[in-house]
Each structure stands twice: as structure tokens, then as C-alpha cells.
Amino acid sequence: MAGLVPMTKLNILDNQHPTRTVAPSLELAPRPTSLAPHSRHQVPEEQPRWSQRFEGALHPFITRFNASIGFDLTLLQQDLDGSIAHGRMLAACGVITAAEAEQVVDGLETVRREAAAGTFCPGVEAEDVHFAVERRLIELVGDVGKKLHTGRSRNDQVGTDLRLWLRERIDELEVLLRRYGQTLLRLAEAHVDTMIPGYTHLQRAQPLSLAHHLLAYVEMTRRDRQRLAQVRQRVNVSPLGAAALAGTPVPIDRRQTAAALGFAEIYRNSLDAVSDRDFAVEFLAAASLVMVHLSRLSEEVILWASQEFAFISLTDRCATGSSLMPQKKNPDVPELVRGKTGRVFGHLQALLTVMKGLPLAYNKDLQEDKEGLFDAVRTTRDCLEAMTILLEEGLSFQPQRLVAAVGNDFANATDVADYLVARGVPFREAYGLVGGLVKTCLQQGILLRDVPLEQWQQVHSAFAEDIFAALEPRQVVAARLSEGGTGFARVREALEQAKAAFAD
Ligand code: ARG
């Protein structure tokens, strides 16, 4: 192959294919956002011929502009799996012989071994992973390899590959989400009796069990898992056999390839099959919400680690220093998670934009579905992993600071009103009376617990000695026993229920 640059081992995309190798020109060349002179780009002179309809070669720059091989090698394993299923189905349907199918399958398995050994390194002239595999197959097994593409197109092929790939990634994310949830649950279990101020408008509102606060994130994680499971159902539908757009006269069996590849259903309409990316949009939306949840917790951790809150201290495992200020310890991990959230939103927006004007059926625009999806998967996965580590070993709650924070304000004012309500005073009246008392306290620079009984009784005759017990933060929390409330007994219940939902 004339003009191919020497191969270097490069770990592209992520650790899904640890020994993937590609020609460096694919990875390192700038993305062709502007049409720089083609002489600057190393592109082989010799281009593949399409059908005999074509006489000339593709412009070298356009070869590179058109190619997806620089990123779609990520789909290699799925492309091989899909091709093996297709080849076996062709034999079962009598389109090729069983012996031919075995040759094809052997050849495809050889490509898999070459990839594992790092010797399958298609260059940009291969255009995409599908052509690269087919070409190598023909080199390996000869003319019989030319029969594999019977009754299919790269259009249904790429849709199949992408769905198989995403299905695996969703299953990995489910494991990570479960582990993240279990970590939150362990932390919650250790802090049922720890109290933390609860906020509205970032103003102290009412004290909470810290476990209750953490369990709110567990609930978000439960919904994230449900959402991904639902998206998985829509991912798990086979487009294979839709061919280019209209189906095929070749007597194929779509249900056989679907079953072989573990798809639960097949697309009913061939046009929809090759042009639908709803499943990828839905995944990006679900991943965006995972990121929203991680980012919200990140924001809280960052606030809690500040000297103003100091509810937690960061351990050396996850914090970094400043190059200039020797006293600094920075919460880089949650800041990065918060910062990376925008990438995933961006990929969602980008794919929606790709889709919105596409006439049926396949259009090359659809090649733009991949890089964002790959990055979104990697980003979400990395952020889940990082947050799990942060919760496990990166932070510890500061009991003294939390005790001080829940005892030194008027976060028990609602409870005084509720005290009167329990003694027959209408809430709005009680609310007004307590507001007045809070105002007096603020003027005197005291808290409600410092108000002598006589003064309470001047406010309302229903106040008795037991008001002081009712003001205690622990009592304030314990009393909130409505379903879903922060009462310690309710929190213990919720914890057990969530633990069952997150059990392996
Ligand atoms: N590389 C292409 C993609 O990612 C594969 C499908 C190409 N089909 C076509 N008709 N040009 O979408």
C-alpha cells in the first residue's frame, strides 16, 4: 500500500481496545475543519476503486475528510461479530455454502487476532472499519471473502455495530452506577445519626439526617439506572438486513442474525432501520442526566470543602495543591466532574442537530453520530468512577462542624410553629407568633433555646416546659416521620429499601 506511514502503537479513544493501533496520521492530523492544502496531509496516492462506474481517484484531502476509520475502529469487535452472524445466516439460508461461511468466519477471527496483536492497522484509504475488515478478509481468504457483503449494506452494518457497542457500554455503566449507589449507601449508613443543615435558597432551612441528604442522590441514581435500562430496550433492536434502505431480494433471515447477536427485536421498517438514531439520542439524554446528578453532588462537595462550610475535609487521595499557594488543598475531582458535564450535554445537542433535517434514509451526516457518543460514554464512565473513589476515600465529614452548624441558628423555628399547631393553634397564626419571637431573639442576639419559659408563655399560653426538648435539633429531625421525611426511623427504613435495590 503506497504511501502508508509507519505504524505506531497509540491507545486511541479509551481502554476498550487496549492494544489498538492506527496509523498516526489518522489520529494526530488536525481535524479537517478548514480546507488546508492537501499537500500537508499524508494521504496515500492510491485510492480504492468503487464500482467500475468510477474512473478517477478521490482527492487526497477528501479521502481523509470522508474517512471515519480514525474513530470507528472502536466498533471493530462489533463489526466482526455482526459479520460473523451475517455470514453464518447466509449459509443457513443457502445463499453461500457452509464451507464458504466457515472460511469467512475463520478469516474474520484472524482479523480479530491481528487486531489483538496490534498488527491490524488500516490506513485512511480504507475509509471506515467496515471496508477495512472486508478488504483484509479478502486478502486473507481470497474470493470467498467477496461474498460476505451479499444482502447487506454498510448502512445497516454501521447501525448494527453501533447498537451492539452501545448495548455493551450500557451494561458497563449499569455496573458502575450500581457500585456508585452502593458507595453512597455505605456512606449514608454510617451517617444516619449525623445531622447536617438542610438548605433552601442556599439559606439554612431545617436540619436533616446526613443519610437522608445522601439518599436523595441514591434516588437519582435509581432513576438513572431505570432510564438506562429503558434506553437499552430501544438500543437492542436489529437493523441488520434492512440493507441500503429498502431491504434485499436475497433470501436472508433477519431474525436469525438478530437472535445470534442477542437483539430482542428487529426494526419493522427498513428505512427507519438505517436512519434511526433515536436510541443514541436517548442514551445521550440519559447520560446527560447522570452527569447532572454527579455535577450537583460535586457542587455540594465543593461547597462543603470550603472553609466557609468546612463540613468535610478532603483526604490526600483525591485533593491537589496549588503551584503557588502552599496552604491550598483543592477539590479538583468534583470540579472536573462538574466541568465535564457540559461535554455530554453538547454531544446530545450535536446529535439532535445532526438528525433534525435528515431526509430518509441514510445520509453521510450520520457518520457524525459516533465521536460524540464515544466521548459521552467515556466521560460518564470516568466521572462515575471518579466520584465513587471520591466518596470512598476522598472525603470525611467533620462531626464538630456539623454539630455546630445545626445547633446555632433558627432552623428549628418551624418546629415551634408545629408545636403550637399540635396544641390547637392554626398554623398561620402560629407562624406569625414565632416570626415575632425570632425577631426579638435576633434583636437580643440570642437563640430560641435561650428564651425563658415566661417569655414563651407571653407569646402563647400553650407553651410549656417541653418546648425546650422540641427545640433540640435531634428532636427536630426525629419528629419528621412523614413518609419520605428525614425522621431517623424513616431514614433507616429508606436505607434498607435502597440497599435491596442496589444489591448485586
Ligand atoms: N462510515 C459510515 C458511517 O459511519 C458507514 C456507512 C457508510 N454508508 C454509506 N452509504 N456511505 O456512517
Side-chain angles (χ1 to χ4, degrees), residues 50 66 68 71-72 127-130 153-155 158 277 362-364 366-370:
W50 296 89
N66 198 44
S68 53
F71 50 86
D72 69 10
E127 187 177 326
D128 61 23
V129 62
H130 325 293
S153 150
R154 281 183 302 155
N155 299 348
V158 70
R277 294 293 182 273
Y362 180 87
N363 299 269
K364 189 77 169 200
L366 289 171
Q367 183 163 287
E368 286 295 309
D369 60 2
K370 289 170 205 57

Side-chain angles (χ1 to χ4, degrees), residues 229-496:
Q230 288 161 358
V231 173
R232 192 189 191 282
Q233 290 176 7
R234 253 113 42 210
V235 170
N236 202 22
V237 181
S238 175
L240 194 56
L245 76 164
T248 172
V250 179
I252 58 167
D253 182 351
R254 290 189 56 203
R255 294 187 187 266
Q256 185 183 327
T257 46
L261 295 169
F263 285 116
E265 294 170 67
I266 64 172
Y267 272 87
R268 285 183 289 269
N269 179 295
S270 62
L271 295 166
D272 185 40
V274 290
S275 62
D276 170 39
R277 294 293 182 273
D278 290 1
F279 67 95
V281 170
E282 283 189 62
F283 171 81
L284 290 170
S288 293
L289 277 170
V290 172
M291 292 302 300
V292 167
H293 300 151
L294 293 178
S295 185
R296 289 184 72 179
L297 180 55
S298 294
E299 172 67 16
E300 298 215 280
V301 169
I302 293 161
L303 284 173
W304 290 345
S306 70
Q307 275 166 40
E308 286 69 18
F309 279 75
F311 290 172
I312 58 173
S313 65
L314 299 168
T315 71
D316 294 354
R317 289 288 268 177
C318 294
T320 54
S322 153
S323 61
L324 186 143
M325 297 167 283
Q327 84 284 11
K328 287 295 287 290
K329 204 167 186 186
N330 295 328
D332 288 27
V333 172
E335 286 173 335
L336 270 174
V337 170
R338 191 177 58 182
K340 283 176 188 287
T341 298
R343 303 161 72 116
V344 180
F345 297 178
H347 297 318
L348 170 63
Q349 188 63 44
L351 186 56
L352 285 168
T353 311
V354 164
M355 298 308 297
K356 75 178 250 300
L358 292 189
L360 291 176
Y362 180 87
N363 299 269
K364 189 77 169 200
D365 315 43
L366 289 171
Q367 183 163 287
E368 286 295 309
D369 60 2
K370 289 170 205 57
E371 287 163 289
L373 190 64
F374 297 165
D375 184 68
V377 166
R378 179 179 48 189
T379 302
T380 309
R381 194 171 55 189
D382 287 356
C383 289
L384 272 170
E385 188 98 48
M387 284 301 278
T388 303
I389 293 170
L390 180 71
L391 295 177
E392 258 162 21
E393 6 179 348
L395 51 86
S396 59
F397 283 94
Q398 297 297 295
Q400 274 109 342
R401 287 284 308 184
L402 289 167
V403 166
V406 291
N408 287 321
D409 56 22
F410 292 90
N412 49 7
T414 320
D415 300 83
V416 178
D418 289 337
Y419 177 98
L420 288 179
V421 168
R423 284 151 187 82
V425 183
F427 177 78
R428 189 54 65 209
E429 193 184 322
Y431 168 91
L433 292 173
V434 180
L437 190 57
V438 168
K439 187 177 167 191
T440 315
C441 286
L442 286 169
Q443 281 161 355
Q444 295 174 14
I446 58 170
L447 293 170
L448 287 169
R449 63 165 179 252
D450 305 321
V451 175
L453 186 59
E454 311 81 73
Q455 200 179 332
W456 285 101
Q457 285 170 340
Q458 279 159 26
V459 173
H460 199 288
S461 58
F463 283 118
E465 187 63 40
D466 59 356
I467 181 62
F468 295 104
L471 291 174
E472 283 303 314
R474 193 155 296 281
Q475 175 52 30
V476 166
V477 175
R480 289 192 157 65
L481 287 171
S482 55
E483 252 188 291
T486 192
F488 298 112
R490 282 292 186 191
V491 171
R492 274 195 195 89
E493 243 172 57
L495 191 62
E496 288 315 311

Side-chain angles (χ1 to χ4, degrees), residues 16-252:
Q16 277 140 27
H17 303 287
T19 57
R20 163 125 8 94
T21 59
V22 288
S25 60
L26 296 179
E27 273 304 295
L28 302 179
R31 296 272 294 147
T33 45
S34 66
L35 295 179
H38 63 79
S39 56
R40 293 199 302 123
H41 298 271
Q42 294 176 300
V43 173
E45 288 302 307
E46 195 184 296
Q47 302 303 331
R49 286 285 170 86
W50 296 89
S51 67
Q52 286 169 14
R53 172 184 172 167
F54 282 78
E55 283 168 12
L58 201 57
H59 188 289
F61 181 85
I62 299 303
T63 298
R64 221 177 61 77
F65 182 70
N66 198 44
S68 53
I69 189 80
F71 50 86
D72 69 10
L73 266 180
T74 298
L75 302 175
L76 177 66
Q77 300 299 327
Q78 292 73 26
D79 200 69
L80 294 169
D81 294 343
S83 289
I84 288 169
H86 181 71
R88 291 215 166 109
M89 179 277 293
L90 288 178
C93 294
V95 179
I96 62 174
T97 68
E100 286 172 330
E102 280 324 298
Q103 272 180 278
V104 164
V105 170
D106 285 350
L108 292 167
E109 290 297 358
T110 303
V111 177
R112 205 191 298 274
R113 279 193 300 277
E114 289 177 350
T119 57
F120 178 64
C121 312
V124 75
E125 77 294 341
E127 187 177 326
D128 61 23
V129 62
H130 325 293
F131 269 145
V133 168
E134 189 183 355
R135 259 166 75 153
R136 183 66 189 137
L137 177 69
I138 294 166
E139 279 170 21
L140 286 165
V141 304
D143 280 354
V144 62
K146 296 180 182 169
K147 295 191 174 185
L148 176 63
H149 212 55
T150 309
R152 76 170 183 189
S153 150
R154 281 183 302 155
N155 299 348
D156 55 341
Q157 196 178 351
V158 70
T160 304
D161 294 1
L162 201 58
R163 286 167 179 81
L164 290 174
W165 182 87
L166 188 56
R167 192 179 67 188
E168 281 176 43
R169 303 291 85 77
I170 287 175
D171 292 344
E172 289 168 1
L173 280 171
E174 156 61 14
V175 174
L176 289 177
L177 277 168
R178 186 148 28 93
R179 272 187 27 208
Y180 169 68
Q182 288 167 349
T183 302
L184 275 168
L185 281 167
R186 272 195 298 278
L187 203 57
E189 188 153 36
H191 289 292
V192 174
D193 293 318
T194 308
M195 289 182 292
I196 188 169
Y199 294 82
T200 63
H201 312 272
L202 201 57
Q203 306 285 323
R204 282 197 193 161
Q206 292 171 350
L208 302 170
S209 155
L210 173 53
H212 192 59
H213 193 113
L214 296 170
L215 282 168
Y217 287 97
V218 172
E219 290 299 316
M220 298 177 216
T221 310
R222 285 172 85 156
R223 289 195 295 276
D224 287 331
R225 292 174 66 199
Q226 283 169 0
R227 238 184 313 269
L228 275 178
Q230 288 161 358
V231 173
R232 192 189 191 282
Q233 290 176 7
R234 253 113 42 210
V235 170
N236 202 22
V237 181
S238 175
L240 194 56
L245 76 164
T248 172
V250 179
I252 58 167

